[in-house]
Amino acid sequence: MSTQTAAQQRAEAKASYNAFMDGCPSRQLLDRISNKWVALILAALGSDGPHRPGTDHGDGPRSMRYSELSRRLAGASQKMLTQTLRSLEADGLVTRTVTPTVPVTVTYELTDLGLSLNHIMLGLKDWAETHMNDVLAHREEHHRTAAEH
């Protein structure tokens, strides 16, 4: 029986991740990152302001204070925003920096891991914004057809 280093064990586990298999840890990660608040937080930290779909995403990643994120994410409760930021920090996607000022300043920023996911999430956000009218038209047609039957 051979012993493996921690790096070898991680490499073996990585090769065996399969989200289609019950109990695979990657399912938990997919559940986390498919949350709308995660997508919007990553998009907010990864770009500098609102933009039209298909256009440049601003000046790139930047740190944001909690209050900035809260204003940017209309409809997110303080509890939801706090819980989501904590989970993103625990997963290594976001860093939290506390500056001892009066009052205390807390900023959030994407890590390298978060940046790698941000590119995908921005694409999903852009797709949703670009194709929303098509989806709404299909929903309306589906409901109209279902009501006829």
Side-chain angles (χ1 to χ4, degrees), residues 8-111:
Q8 289 170 323
Q9 289 173 347
R10 284 192 302 274
E12 186 177 300
K14 181 179 179 181
S16 66
Y17 291 142
N18 181 347
F20 290 110
M21 300 298 293
D22 189 29
C24 180
S26 63
R27 281 188 175 191
Q28 293 172 332
L29 183 58
L30 284 171
D31 184 50
R32 166 93 30 96
I33 64 176
S34 65
N35 177 288
K36 72 177 174 185
W37 298 119
V38 168
L40 292 173
I41 288 170
L42 292 177
L45 292 173
S47 65
D48 188 20
H51 64 281
R52 289 186 318 282
T55 62
D56 184 32
H57 290 104
D59 296 331
R62 68 185 191 104
S63 63
M64 294 180 79
R65 294 178 63 174
Y66 182 92
S67 59
E68 289 178 278
L69 278 169
S70 180
R71 281 191 302 275
R72 184 82 181 274
L73 301 174
S77 69
Q78 182 177 353
K79 179 182 178 183
M80 181 57 66
L81 183 56
T82 299
Q83 286 176 343
T84 305
L85 285 166
R86 284 181 182 160
S87 69
L88 290 172
E89 184 181 11
D91 287 343
L93 301 173
V94 167
T95 58
R96 178 179 185 264
T97 304
V98 178
T99 307
T101 57
V102 178
V104 171
T105 303
V106 178
T107 57
Y108 296 89
E109 188 172 11
L110 294 176
T111 63

